Amino acid sequence: MANRVKVRIFGQEYNVSGDKDPEEIQKIAEYVDSRRRLIAKMTEKSSNSVVQALTCLNIADEYFDAMDKMERMRTEMESIQSGTQDHETQIADARKEVERMKAEVKRAEKDREELSQQYKELEKQCAEFENSVFDLQMENIQLKSELEKLSNDG
């Protein structure tokens, strides 16, 4: 639904229709009026048509500057979003690596337990071998002693 608003630009009234709220239309007209007054003040000896053309050019320049700024901001936002996605990917990869390392630590702990158990078994076997060697040495001493007795008796 088009709203009709009476606006005043540079002392002249205009009937303006638009889809925007009347307050917004009035705000736009006031902006155009302020820009036109500024241009008229800066170019006091220029004709009305020159002032109108310069006002239009000035507002168009502002518009294109705003569009360029918006495009730069959009590009920067996309870059930030891309960087954010890269960081999210890195975080996900780091989480996977942490989980992999946790599993590796569990395997290493299990291996350490098994090796510790094997070490205890080997220590036990060493002690048994030491006892066997000691027993054999004792038996050897006894046999030597008996052999000497037999050599001396005979």
Side-chain angles (χ1 to χ4, degrees), residues 5-7 16 21 28-29 37 42 44 58 65-66 71-72 90 96 109-110 123 127 129 137-138 142 148 151-152 154:
V5 180
K6 191 178 280 193
V7 298
V16 178
D21 291 332
I28 293 168
R37 287 186 187 284
M42 292 170 53
E44 289 180 18
N58 247 283
D65 284 349
E71 179 61 24
R72 283 191 308 274
Q90 290 173 350
K96 287 178 186 175
E109 286 175 350
K110 184 179 176 188
E123 275 187 327
F129 286 140
Q137 286 174 341
M138 292 304 289
Q142 280 180 337
E148 278 183 25
S151 291
N152 288 336

Side-chain angles (χ1 to χ4, degrees), residues 84-101:
T84 300
Q85 289 172 347
D86 289 345
H87 290 297
E88 288 173 353
T89 300
Q90 290 173 350
I91 288 169
D93 291 346
R95 285 185 176 138
K96 287 178 186 175
E97 183 65 13
V98 165
E99 290 304 315
R100 187 191 66 75
M101 292 177 96

Side-chain angles (χ1 to χ4, degrees), residues 71-148:
E71 179 61 24
R72 283 191 308 274
M73 290 172 70
R74 185 190 61 75
T75 301
E76 187 176 330
M77 186 179 74
E78 287 175 356
S79 175
I80 289 169
Q81 286 175 337
S82 175
T84 300
Q85 289 172 347
D86 289 345
H87 290 297
E88 288 173 353
T89 300
Q90 290 173 350
I91 288 169
D93 291 346
R95 285 185 176 138
K96 287 178 186 175
E97 183 65 13
V98 165
E99 290 304 315
R100 187 191 66 75
M101 292 177 96
K102 282 181 181 178
E104 194 172 310
V105 165
K106 273 188 175 181
R107 281 192 302 275
E109 286 175 350
K110 184 179 176 188
D111 290 348
R112 187 187 58 78
E113 284 285 323
E114 288 175 3
L115 289 172
S116 177
Q117 191 64 31
Q118 288 175 0
Y119 179 77
K120 287 178 184 176
E121 288 294 322
L122 288 172
E123 275 187 327
K124 186 177 172 183
Q125 287 177 0
C126 279
E128 289 174 4
F129 286 140
E130 286 175 353
N131 288 338
S132 293
V133 167
F134 182 75
D135 288 346
L136 286 173
Q137 286 174 341
M138 292 304 289
E139 188 177 329
N140 190 21
I141 291 171
Q142 280 180 337
L143 288 173
K144 280 184 179 178
S145 175
E146 285 179 22
L147 186 59
E148 278 183 25

Side-chain angles (χ1 to χ4, degrees), residues 10 32-43 58:
F10 207 62
V32 171
D33 183 58
S34 72
R35 298 303 293 162
R36 191 166 191 284
R37 287 186 187 284
L38 179 66
I39 300 292
K41 192 177 197 181
M42 292 170 53
T43 59
N58 247 283

Side-chain angles (χ1 to χ4, degrees), residues 38-55:
L38 179 66
I39 300 292
K41 192 177 197 181
M42 292 170 53
T43 59
E44 289 180 18
K45 295 183 181 176
S46 297
S47 69
N48 193 28
S49 61
V50 169
V51 171
Q52 287 176 347
L54 290 174
T55 302

